[in-house]
Amino acid sequence: MNTHDKAGLRAQLRASRAVLDDSFMRQAGSQLARTVLGWMATSCGLTPSDGLVTSDGLAASDGGEPTPVAGAHGGPAVCAFLSAGSEPPTSELLESLDAAGYRVFVPVCEPNFQLSWVRWSPGAVLVPSSLAPVMEPVGERRRFVELGSVQAVLVPALAVDATGARLGQGGGYYDRFLANSGAPAVAAVVYEREFLTAGAVPIDSLDVRVDYAITPSAVHAAQHG
C-alpha cells in the first residue's frame, strides 16, 4: 500500500467536508440521531437482517419512536465521540442516547496513542485535549474493560468502504484501541458520499476494519471476506 494513496484520499475528503454549510450539517445530525437510535432499538444483537437499514424503515418497524432501554445508571453502554469541525454532528445523537437510557462514554486521548473513556451527559464540562486537537470531557477516566455492557462503539472516520475498511484522520488512536478492545459492534460514522465501494479505502496491517458504516440515513453491514 502506498501511503500517498491515503494522504491523497484524506486531502480530497477533507476538502469535500470543508464546503458543507450549517443547514446541511444540522439536518445530517438530526437524521443521524434517528438512524442510530432506530438501529439500536430494533436490530437483534445489533445485526441488521439485510445489511442495509434505512432510517424510515427503522421508524416504521417500531412505531416511529426509539425504544428506551434499561435505566441510565445500570443500563447498556454506548461508546461514541464528540464531533468536531465538519464531522457528521453527534451532539443530538449523544443527547438522544442519554435520554433513551444508555450510558454514554466518549474518548479521552492518553499518551502513546491510547484511549480512555469518560461518562458523558448533557452539560458535561469540556476542555481542550493536551494531546490532540479535540475537546474532551472532565471526569473519571476508565479503561474500556471497566465500562460494563457495551452495546456498540461509534467511531469517527473520513470514509469507510463496503468491506469495513476505515480511513481515519491518521493519528492511529482508534486503530490501536480497536485492535485490542474486543468491542461487540463497531460502526464508523460518515456522510453518505463517504461510504465507498469495496476496495476504495487503502488498508494496511495496522488498520482495523469496522463492522458497520453508519451514514445519516442508513446502516450498512460490512461485507468481510
Side-chain angles (χ1 to χ4, degrees):
M1 188 276 297
N2 188 335
T3 56
H4 293 295
D5 295 341
K6 281 189 174 182
L9 184 55
R10 283 194 181 100
Q12 176 185 340
L13 292 164
R14 287 168 178 156
S16 179
R17 285 186 174 184
V19 300
L20 299 178
D21 61 35
D22 291 342
S23 176
F24 175 87
M25 292 182 64
R26 282 195 301 271
Q27 182 178 8
S30 295
Q31 288 180 322
L32 180 64
R34 291 194 298 270
T35 296
V36 172
L37 264 290
W39 172 57
M40 297 187 68
T42 63
S43 59
C44 178
L46 300 182
T47 304
S49 59
D50 58 1
L52 174 60
V53 184
T54 65
S55 56
D56 286 345
L58 288 167
S61 68
D62 70 353
E65 294 294 334
T67 302
V69 296
H73 297 290
V78 178
C79 292
F81 64 96
L82 297 166
S83 58
S86 56
E87 290 180 327
T90 62
S91 58
E92 188 169 340
L93 168 60
L94 297 182
E95 290 173 1
S96 297
L97 288 167
D98 179 79
Y102 291 96
R103 294 177 297 125
V104 180
F105 293 90
V106 298
V108 173
C109 296
E110 301 284 9
N112 300 316
F113 302 99
Q114 301 300 305
L115 293 177
S116 59
W117 300 87
V118 172
R119 178 74 182 272
W120 178 93
S121 60
V125 176
L126 304 178
V127 297
S129 170
S130 62
L131 297 172
V134 296
M135 299 296 288
E136 298 174 336
V138 175
E140 179 185 358
R141 299 185 178 198
R142 306 181 190 179
R143 296 177 300 156
F144 183 74
V145 296
E146 298 172 330
L147 303 185
S149 174
V150 176
Q151 291 286 97
V153 177
L154 308 178
V155 301
L158 285 168
V160 186
D161 75 16
T163 70
R166 169 186 169 271
L167 183 70
Q169 294 284 1
Y173 282 92
Y174 283 99
D175 283 318
R176 287 177 173 84
F177 160 69
L178 294 174
N180 300 297
S181 70
V186 179
V189 178
V190 293
Y191 294 107
E192 264 77 19
R193 61 190 176 189
E194 296 167 350
F195 176 63
L196 308 179
T197 58
V201 173
I203 190 166
D204 59 34
S205 60
L206 297 179
D207 295 319
V208 178
R209 296 180 192 272
V210 297
D211 303 308
Y212 302 92
I214 297 184
T215 71
S217 66
V219 179
H220 304 263
Q223 302 165 10
H224 295 315

